[in-house]
């Protein structure tokens, strides 16, 4: 817990030291200076770190209603959580610097840490909380910054600088949408060949409206200032069926339409007849390995029929968001200023995915089922020796029916029959209900109270207390209850009425029979008997799940900054210093309802695990700015942290800036950084989940007929029985079970980062600035998991217990997608990663006959991006690659973002160009990503001194993304990666802004 005595003592010491001195000093305005990467404000200390700046004008030119879309255009950032993901979305927006993950990217507002945006114990900030209208700029710093800011700054820092001293009034309205021509001939022909509905030839989708207001002014004759803001964003959803790329679930790269064998009419297949000891009487009626679908009231061979689940999935989630708040400051003395701010966000962004279904959670059906036709009964019961139960027996009373079932149990006990429940597995898509939805709502309030000022002419202080609270609710709709599914299919005739056995024995008096066996309709029509039972059967079967949660972070910080009396001989100034203390306390409480925790949802992959935990940390930090000569200064930083988890960490920084001459300067840093495990990484309970994987290499693809790609001996390494080799082991949706969970014994990650740069401002080329910076970041003891695909590949290749012990196959069918089959991926300190490369940034302003032109841009070259999964394992190179153990986000070796702006009279014309280099796949789909070039254009018109209009378009030429079946779930969506590519067509926006 937080040590309040330590808070009070630190606050009192700084207050007692500062206020009397402040009263005695001459009047002088107190102004906050924000320098990303340091708290030293001495103008003689030039930063040794590379900081990429995104200006308010850059954001305005993009016209985006969501700030993460602007950041993701920068080549230094990879996609995180975005609005264009559905399955795998948590309803937030995150920053992912150098593709090291949002948990290794520290996000600040005006130099102060943003709190975690979720309640499930993660550490990632939610960018939805940033008020864009007040943004002055965004600063992106590469390399470890833990010595300055503490844990999480492994990859670097994203600092949103807000204008908290705004004077006047301004308002902004932005309307935007996507326009796309569906003219992908290859995919449209593919949809025709499968008889699937094609996307419209042209679509205009995803309308968004953003309204923002900000105001500010002085109070009490300039002693104080208040700035307020409010913004509202409303975005309409986009469905995948509206686009060629999303109209079907691709398979084999982009060669064919795949889909799920959980089909609307219902699939029933052999789930262990031979292993149970049954034998067929007449193989012409049914035989081992049957695979049926329902047509009318009879079972026929499924013949590879699949369900196209893509069209109902969100390509873009809807959003309804309100941001509001204020910033204030007031000088209580000439040298002491109190400041306070409050920010509130309410964000609702539900996601929609395909219809639910039985998903194999129904694994047997009693042979007395009242809804079996005679043909179905014979196929799954009557034709099998050792099977008990007669066809649709009818009983006068419930008591007689229960006595019949009791007699069958007696026959099983005396071994006169093997069983009376047919071991058939149901894969029935519930198209008679509604698509699954995950309605998430976040409410966040962050408040800061602090005091800052001058101690004397040389020293300043800043003491602050920040608290952040996130409240969360989620309703999961239209998933089927496994408990009710099993009850609703255990049905027997009483007086000619199909009746749930659970009604007869009192277990569930409300049970309604779920008739999977009568009226199989053609195509995706579903089952007529279920349509006839609506809406009552849906109300009974599709129970909602509810999740509530809250999280909090409190930060107390106190530091002094100023100039010492110590200097290096011959130096132009004395050494500047910062001495500070910071204490943080984090808590999370994530509360799924009992049904969700019991995994009572079909297709969920396992329980939603509750979480309650937290920790606190005390940190001490020092920074030194050391002038050496007029041309050379050094930076030194160190931070020491003591965690309540009994972990101690330290971080260090050494930087230098040297002005070689008027044109050329060099800069560099050597830094260490740390990241303590998040609450979820430490304390989350173990539970099953789902992951996207290549088809099981030990099985035969039931759709293509392609056999195993691994040998029998290799597959034995994974625990597969010889009899199951070459059987159907493929998941209907290419999703496989994994076991996830926290580990309280995790050690903090450590990283070493090096940056070295050159800045050139040639005096003979006025207006040109060019910088070249090298970066190298190595993360050791990386907190993570052994990727499931890596465990499979390494187990097949080596048979090593390290990997093979993580694979647990289903004992009945040998699969990894049928519970209890799974791959263990719990957290551990396991991996080592390294990324290195170059950033080239330029800015050139020149005068032309048309008017002044500003040309600027950034290019990123990724030289290496390596991963060592386990100590002693070979290094995997991910630069220029994507997929498999390298993760889903592509890492091009070269990418860039460039713009040219011409000012002419009342107009500004902006032309932008974004480039993504090619990347090669490590997946089995053989779809490499070609290079992509996107062209953007914006026109700004100043109608008057106070009113401006802006119209623009991104992806002006409607460039299609690359589509691949391996995209899967987040960050994949709709057979592509919408955070990486411009997946939705041409983005068009109109903005009107007013300022007084």
């Amino acid at each position: 817990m937080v040590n309040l005595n330590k808070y009070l003592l630190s606050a009192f010491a700084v207050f007692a030291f500062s206020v009397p001195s402040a009263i005695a000093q001459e009047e002088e305005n107190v102004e906050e200076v924000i320098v990303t990467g340091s708290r030293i404000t001495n103008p003689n200390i030039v930063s040794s770190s590379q900081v990429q700046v995104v200006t308010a004008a850059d954001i305005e030119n993009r016209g985006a209603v969501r700030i993460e879309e602007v950041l993701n255009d920068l080549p230094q950032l990879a996609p995180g959580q975005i609005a264009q993901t559905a399955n795998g979305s948590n309803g937030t927006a995150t920053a992912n610097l150098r593709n090291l993950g949002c948990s290794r990217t520290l996000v600040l507002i005006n130099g102060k840490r943003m709190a975690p945006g979720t309640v499930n114990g993660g550490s990632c900030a939610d960018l939805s909380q940033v008020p864009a209208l007040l943004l002055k700029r965004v600063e992106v710093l590469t390399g470890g910054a833990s010595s300055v800011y503490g844990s999480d700054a492994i990859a670097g820092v994203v600092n949103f600088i807000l204008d908290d001293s705004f004077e006047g009034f301004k308002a902004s309205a932005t309307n935007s949408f996507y326009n796309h021509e569906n003219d992908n001939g290859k995919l449209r022909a593919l949809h025709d060949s499968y008889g699937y509905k094609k996307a419209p030839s042209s679509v205009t989708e995803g309308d968004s409206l953003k309204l923002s207001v900000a105001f500010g002014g002085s109070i009490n004759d300039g002693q104080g200032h208040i700035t307020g803001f409010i913004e509202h964003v409303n975005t309409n959803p986009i469905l995948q069926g509206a686009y060629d790329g999303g109209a079907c679930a691709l398979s084999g790269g982009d060669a064919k339409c795949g889909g799920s064998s959980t089909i609307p009419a219902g699939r029933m297949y052999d789930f262990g007849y031979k292993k149970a000891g049954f034998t067929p009487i007449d193989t012409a009626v049914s035989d081992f390995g049957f695979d049926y679908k329902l047509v009318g009231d009879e079972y026929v061979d499924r013949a590879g029929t699949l369900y196209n689940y893509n069209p109902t999935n969100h390509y873009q989630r809807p959003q309804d968001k309100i941001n509001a708040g204020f910033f204030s400051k007031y000088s209580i003395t000439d040298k002491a200023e109190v400041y306070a701010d409050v920010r509130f966000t309410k964000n609702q962004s539900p996601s929609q995915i395909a219809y639910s279904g039985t998903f194999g959670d129904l694994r047997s059906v009693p042979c007395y089922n009242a809804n079996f036709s005679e043909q179905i009964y014979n196929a799954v019961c009557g034709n099998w020796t050792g099977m008990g139960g007669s066809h649709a027996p009818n009983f006068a009373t419930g008591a007689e029916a229960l006595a019949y079932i009791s007699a069958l149990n007696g026959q099983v006990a005396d071994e006169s029959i093997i069983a009376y429940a047919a071991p058939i597995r149901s894969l029935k898509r519930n198209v008679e209900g509604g698509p699954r939805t995950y309605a998430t709502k976040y409410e966040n309030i962050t408040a800061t109270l602090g005091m800052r000022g001058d101690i004397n002419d040389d020293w300043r202080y800043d003491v602050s207390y920040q608290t952040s609270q996130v409240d969360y609710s989620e309703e999961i709709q239209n998933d089927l209850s496994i408990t009710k599914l099993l009850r609703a299919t255990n049905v027997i005739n009483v007086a000619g009425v199909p009746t749930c056995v659970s009604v007869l024995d009192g277990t569930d008096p409300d049970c309604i029979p779920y008739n999977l066996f009568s009226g199989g309709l053609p195509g995706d029509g579903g089952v007529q008997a279920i349509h006839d039972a609506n809406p009552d059967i849906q109300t009974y079967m599709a129970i909602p799940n509810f999740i509530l949660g809250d999280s909090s972070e409190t930060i107390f910080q106190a530091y002094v900054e100023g100039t010492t009396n110590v200097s290096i001989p011959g130096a132009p100034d004395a050494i500047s210093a910062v001495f500070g203390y910071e204490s943080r306390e984090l808590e999370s409480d994530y509360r799924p309802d009992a049904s969700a925790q019991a995994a009572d949802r079909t297709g969920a992959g396992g329980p939603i695990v509750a979480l309650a935990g937290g920790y606190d940390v005390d940190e001490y930090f020092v920074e030194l700015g050391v002038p050496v000569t007029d041309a050379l200064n050094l930076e030194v930083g160190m931070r020491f942290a003591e965690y309540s988890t009994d972990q101690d960490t330290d971080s260090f920084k050494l930087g230098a800036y040297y002005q070689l001459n008027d044109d050329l300067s060099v800069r560099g840093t050597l830094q260490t950084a740390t990241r303590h495990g998040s609450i979820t990484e430490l304390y989350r309970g173990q539970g099953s989940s789902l992951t996207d994987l290549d088809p099981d290499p030990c099985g035969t693809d039931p759709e293509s007929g392609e056999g195993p790609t691994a040998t029998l001996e290799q597959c034995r390494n994974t625990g597969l029985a010889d009899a199951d080799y070459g059987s159907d082991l493929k998941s209907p949706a290419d999703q496989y079970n994994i076991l996830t969970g926290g580990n309280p014994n995790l050690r903090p990650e450590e990283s070493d980062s090096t940056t070295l740069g050159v800045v050139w401002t040639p005096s003979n080329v006025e207006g040109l600035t060019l910088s070249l910076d090298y970066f190298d970041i190595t993360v050791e003891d990386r907190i993570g998991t052994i990727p499931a695909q890596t465990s499979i590949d390494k187990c097949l290749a080596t048979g090593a217990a390290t990997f093979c012990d993580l694979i647990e196959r289903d004992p009945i069918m040998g699969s990894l997608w049928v519970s209890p089959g799974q791959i263990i991926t719990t957290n551990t300190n396991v991996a080592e990663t390294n990324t290195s490369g170059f950033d080239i940034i330029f800015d050139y302003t020149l005068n032309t006959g048309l008017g002044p032109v500003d040309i600027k841009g950034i290019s990123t070259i990724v030289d290496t991006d390596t991963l060592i999964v386990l100590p002693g394992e070979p290094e995997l190179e991910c630069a220029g690659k994507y997929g498999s153990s390298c993760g889903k986000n592509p890492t091009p070796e070269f990418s860039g973002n460039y713009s040219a702006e011409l000012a002419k009279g009342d107009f500004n014309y902006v032309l932008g160009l974004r480039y993504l280099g090619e990347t090669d796949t490590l997946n089995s789909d053989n779809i490499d990503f070609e290079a992509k070039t996107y062209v953007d254009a914006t026109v700004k018109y100043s109608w008057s001194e106070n009113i401006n209009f802006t119209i623009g378009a991104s992806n002006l030429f409607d460039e299609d993304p690359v589509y691949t079946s391996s995209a899967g779930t987040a960050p994949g969506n709709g057979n592509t990666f919408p955070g990486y590519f411009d997946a939705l067509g041409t983005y068009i926006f109109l903005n009107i802004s007013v300022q007084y």
Side-chain angles (χ1 to χ4, degrees):
M1 298 297 292
V2 175
N3 188 332
L4 292 179
N5 290 331
K6 191 178 294 184
Y7 276 5
L8 296 174
L9 180 62
S10 299
F12 177 78
V14 174
F15 186 86
F17 186 37
S18 62
V19 173
S21 299
I23 294 174
Q25 299 296 320
E26 296 179 1
E27 182 176 347
E28 184 178 328
N29 292 330
V30 178
E31 181 179 358
E32 182 188 15
V33 179
I34 300 170
V35 181
T36 301
S38 177
R39 291 186 174 87
I40 292 175
T41 59
N42 187 337
N44 290 318
I45 304 299
V46 182
S47 175
S48 58
S49 301
Q50 175 221 327
V51 177
Q52 164 71 7
V53 177
V54 180
T55 66
D58 295 330
I59 297 169
E60 180 183 348
N61 292 342
R62 182 66 164 81
V65 298
R66 289 171 290 271
I67 190 65
E68 70 271 17
E69 295 174 1
V70 180
L71 292 182
N72 287 339
D73 287 343
L74 297 177
Q76 302 107 313
L77 280 98
Q81 287 282 336
I82 59 171
Q84 289 78 34
T85 54
N87 198 341
S89 162
N90 64 12
T92 67
T94 58
N96 178 8
L97 186 57
R98 302 296 183 195
N99 202 22
L100 289 173
C102 63
S103 62
R104 298 176 183 88
T105 303
L106 185 62
V107 182
L108 313 172
I109 289 183
N110 284 354
K112 294 188 180 296
R113 176 187 290 260
M114 287 188 69
T118 61
V119 299
N120 61 357
S123 59
C124 303
D126 183 5
L127 306 186
S128 301
Q129 300 168 17
V130 177
L133 189 61
L134 286 176
L135 268 177
K136 296 169 66 176
R137 64 190 183 275
V138 185
E139 297 183 347
V140 180
L141 180 148
T142 289
S146 287
S147 64
V148 179
Y149 299 112
S151 179
D152 304 340
I154 292 277
V157 172
V158 177
N159 192 4
F160 293 92
I161 311 298
L162 304 182
D163 186 359
D164 57 4
S165 299
F166 174 70
E167 296 271 352
F169 170 86
K170 61 181 174 180
S172 172
T174 302
N175 181 234
S176 65
F177 57 88
Y178 291 94
N179 180 263
H180 178 63
E181 296 297 320
N182 283 308
D183 55 5
N184 190 311
K186 178 179 180 179
L187 292 181
R188 295 180 77 82
L190 189 64
H191 302 156
D192 280 337
S193 69
Y194 281 79
Y196 290 161
K197 181 180 178 181
K198 289 188 296 190
S201 59
S202 179
V203 293
T204 299
E205 297 278 343
D207 187 84
S208 292
L209 178 63
K210 180 176 183 178
L211 303 174
S212 307
V213 174
F215 56 88
S218 299
I219 55 176
N220 199 15
D221 295 327
Q223 279 192 274
H225 189 278
I226 294 179
T227 300
F229 66 90
I230 184 169
E231 68 178 18
H232 179 243
V233 177
N234 186 270
T235 298
N236 291 336
I238 301 175
L239 297 182
Q240 292 180 20
Y243 285 75
D244 285 340
C248 87
L250 292 175
S251 178
D254 61 357
K256 54 187 178 181
C257 285
S260 171
S261 62
T262 300
I263 57 179
R267 175 192 181 193
M268 284 284 189
Y269 69 92
D270 177 352
F271 193 62
Y273 278 78
K274 181 178 289 187
K275 288 188 177 181
F278 299 110
T279 56
I281 298 170
D282 183 354
T283 57
V285 176
S286 55
D287 199 357
F288 294 123
F290 63 76
D291 188 353
Y292 296 138
K293 67 178 179 181
L294 185 68
V295 175
D297 296 344
E298 296 187 351
Y299 278 157
V300 302
D301 187 74
R302 182 173 67 92
T305 300
L306 297 174
Y307 171 66
N308 180 23
Y309 54 79
N310 259 38
T312 54
N313 284 258
H314 276 154
Y315 233 151
Q316 174 176 277
R317 302 190 317 273
Q319 184 181 41
D320 187 2
K321 182 187 74 170
I322 294 176
N323 265 353
F326 70 87
F327 300 90
S328 64
K329 50 190 175 184
Y330 192 86
S331 297
I332 57 175
T333 72
D334 292 341
K335 299 299 181 181
E337 180 182 76
V338 174
Y339 60 93
D341 63 71
V342 176
R343 304 191 310 274
F344 170 79
T345 301
K346 180 180 179 181
N347 187 21
Q348 300 178 82
S349 185
S351 58
Q352 175 177 295
I353 61 175
Y355 295 91
S356 187
T358 59
F359 294 120
D361 287 310
L362 176 61
R363 303 181 183 186
S364 66
V365 179
C367 289
Y368 53 68
N369 189 288
N371 294 311
F372 277 172
S373 68
E374 184 175 357
Q375 187 266 348
I376 291 176
Y377 172 80
N378 287 333
V380 302
C381 293
N383 189 50
W384 297 92
T385 58
M387 188 74 73
S390 54
H391 174 232
N394 188 25
F395 302 93
T397 66
E400 292 180 8
L402 292 175
Y404 172 76
I405 297 171
S406 178
L408 289 175
N409 286 325
Q411 294 177 54
V412 174
D414 64 22
E415 299 184 353
S416 58
I417 61 174
I418 298 172
Y420 60 89
I424 51 178
R425 196 152 192 254
S426 167
L427 296 171
K428 160 76 176 81
R429 183 72 59 168
N430 187 41
V431 294
E432 300 85 0
R436 287 169 287 175
T437 59
Y438 300 79
T440 61
K441 181 173 76 172
Y442 290 92
E443 291 188 358
N444 171 277
I445 186 165
T446 298
T448 303
L449 177 66
M451 185 171 69
R452 61 194 172 215
D454 291 345
I455 299 171
N456 52 42
D457 288 342
D458 296 322
W459 288 89
R460 291 153 293 284
Y461 68 93
D462 192 319
V463 182
S464 64
Y465 180 82
Q466 176 178 291
T467 179
S468 180
Q469 175 79 26
V470 179
D471 292 313
Y472 172 81
S473 66
E474 179 178 6
E475 181 178 356
I476 303 173
Q477 300 169 331
N478 296 324
D479 262 328
L480 303 183
S481 162
I482 297 175
T483 300
K484 293 189 174 185
L485 170 65
L486 300 182
R487 291 172 179 170
T489 51
N490 186 4
V491 176
I492 196 166
N493 263 324
V494 178
V497 178
T499 305
C500 297
V501 171
S502 60
V503 171
L504 301 180
D505 64 17
T507 305
D508 184 359
D510 299 321
C511 178
I512 300 173
Y514 189 48
N515 188 352
L516 300 173
F517 314 103
S518 304
L521 301 173
D524 292 336
V527 174
Q528 186 60 50
I530 299 176
H531 283 293
D532 294 341
N534 280 340
D536 293 342
I537 190 62
Q538 299 299 330
T539 302
Y540 174 71
M541 296 284 295
I543 61 170
N545 287 133
F546 297 93
I547 304 171
L548 299 176
D550 56 78
S551 67
S552 65
E553 180 183 67
T554 57
I555 304 174
F556 174 80
Q557 185 184 90
Y559 68 90
V560 292
E561 182 264 330
T563 305
T564 69
N565 294 322
V566 179
S567 62
I568 293 177
D573 201 351
I575 295 174
S576 297
V578 174
F579 302 97
Y581 165 77
E582 179 176 296
S583 182
R584 288 189 296 127
E585 180 180 353
L586 298 96
E587 293 182 346
S588 286
D589 189 6
Y590 185 68
R591 305 181 299 277
D593 63 18
S595 174
Q597 292 192 55
D600 192 27
R601 294 165 47 232
T602 58
I608 300 178
V609 180
L611 172 69
Y615 61 82
D616 55 78
V617 56
D618 294 323
E619 300 182 275
Y620 307 87
F621 55 91
V622 177
E623 288 186 70
L624 301 176
V626 184
V628 179
T629 69
D630 288 332
L632 174 65
N633 66 253
L634 303 177
E635 292 180 277
V636 178
M638 58 196 75
R639 179 179 286 248
F640 307 94
E642 300 172 352
Y643 287 86
S644 61
T645 57
D646 294 327
Q647 300 283 354
D648 296 338
T649 66
D650 49 54
S651 304
F652 302 95
K653 170 186 176 181
L654 175 63
Y657 180 90
Y658 182 47
Q659 185 78 40
L660 291 169
N661 53 48
D662 290 341
D663 294 351
L664 194 64
S665 59
V666 295
R667 59 191 177 192
T669 63
L670 297 173
Q671 301 190 68
T672 65
T674 60
R675 185 178 80 86
H676 188 273
S678 66
I679 295 173
T680 189
E681 289 169 331
L682 293 169
Y683 303 124
R684 181 177 182 266
Q686 292 190 355
S688 296
S689 186
L690 297 172
T691 191
D692 301 317
L693 293 175
D694 287 339
D696 194 316
C698 297
T700 297
D701 189 322
E703 280 75 53
S704 68
E706 298 175 4
T709 57
T711 66
L712 174 59
E713 183 177 357
Q714 288 176 318
C715 292
R716 286 172 180 157
N717 294 339
T718 70
L720 187 72
D722 289 5
D724 294 325
Y725 179 71
S727 63
D728 178 6
L729 302 175
K730 185 177 185 293
S731 163
D734 293 325
Q735 291 183 308
Y736 294 82
N737 296 333
I738 55 174
L739 181 70
T740 64
N743 179 355
N745 298 315
L746 291 174
R747 300 183 303 278
E749 295 179 347
E750 296 183 358
S751 78
D752 297 307
S753 65
T754 301
T755 63
L756 182 62
V758 178
V759 182
W760 184 43
T761 53
S763 54
N764 58 346
V765 185
E766 185 178 354
L768 174 63
T769 300
L770 176 65
S771 67
L772 170 65
D773 286 272
Y774 169 77
F775 63 89
D776 186 298
I777 304 171
T778 299
V779 184
E780 298 177 336
D781 282 341
R782 176 169 171 162
I783 298 172
T785 66
I786 300 177
Q789 190 68 56
T790 297
S791 294
I792 293 175
D793 294 342
K794 291 292 185 180
C795 178
L796 290 171
T798 68
T802 301
F803 300 103
C804 297
D805 288 351
L806 302 177
I807 301 172
E808 299 177 349
R809 289 191 177 272
D810 161 46
I812 297 177
M813 303 298 289
S815 79
L816 293 169
W817 68 276
V818 177
S819 298
Q822 62 184 0
I823 304 167
I824 299 172
T825 61
T826 49
N827 290 330
T828 185
N829 290 97
V830 58
E832 177 180 321
T833 60
N834 171 263
T835 182
S836 66
F838 299 88
D839 289 329
I840 306 169
I841 303 175
F842 66 88
D843 192 340
Y844 183 35
T845 302
L846 69 160
N847 292 313
T848 71
L850 296 174
V853 175
D854 182 28
I855 304 171
K856 60 183 178 181
I858 176 171
S859 303
T860 293
I861 300 169
V862 179
D863 182 43
T864 61
D865 185 20
T866 59
L867 169 67
I868 300 175
V869 176
L870 281 174
E873 287 295 313
E875 187 176 79
L876 176 64
E877 179 59 69
C878 297
K881 307 287 195 305
Y882 81 97
S884 190
S885 297
C886 285
K888 286 189 170 183
N889 276 330
T891 306
E893 293 179 328
F894 183 87
S895 55
N897 189 329
Y898 318 98
S899 68
E901 181 169 359
L902 167 67
K904 187 174 178 60
D906 294 330
F907 288 88
N908 283 58
Y909 305 91
V910 183
L911 186 66
L913 185 146
R914 292 172 286 128
Y915 179 81
L916 300 172
E918 60 185 23
T919 51
D920 297 332
T921 184
L922 297 177
N923 297 319
S924 62
D925 58 7
N926 295 320
I927 297 291
D928 296 331
F929 290 169
E930 63 187 13
K932 290 288 182 181
T933 301
Y934 297 108
V935 176
D936 310 325
T938 302
V939 177
K940 296 187 286 187
Y941 171 59
S942 297
W943 189 66
S944 69
E945 183 180 353
N946 307 112
I947 301 174
N948 295 281
F949 295 87
T950 305
I951 187 170
S954 299
N955 188 12
L956 188 63
F957 299 115
D958 194 14
E959 181 77 19
D960 273 351
V962 180
Y963 298 108
T964 174
S965 59
S966 67
T969 56
N973 195 28
N975 299 310
T976 191
F977 297 93
Y980 179 74
F981 297 112
D982 284 26
L984 300 178
T986 301
Y987 175 80
I988 300 170
F989 72 92
L990 172 65
N991 172 265
I992 302 173
S993 61
V994 178
Q995 182 167 344
Y996 292 95

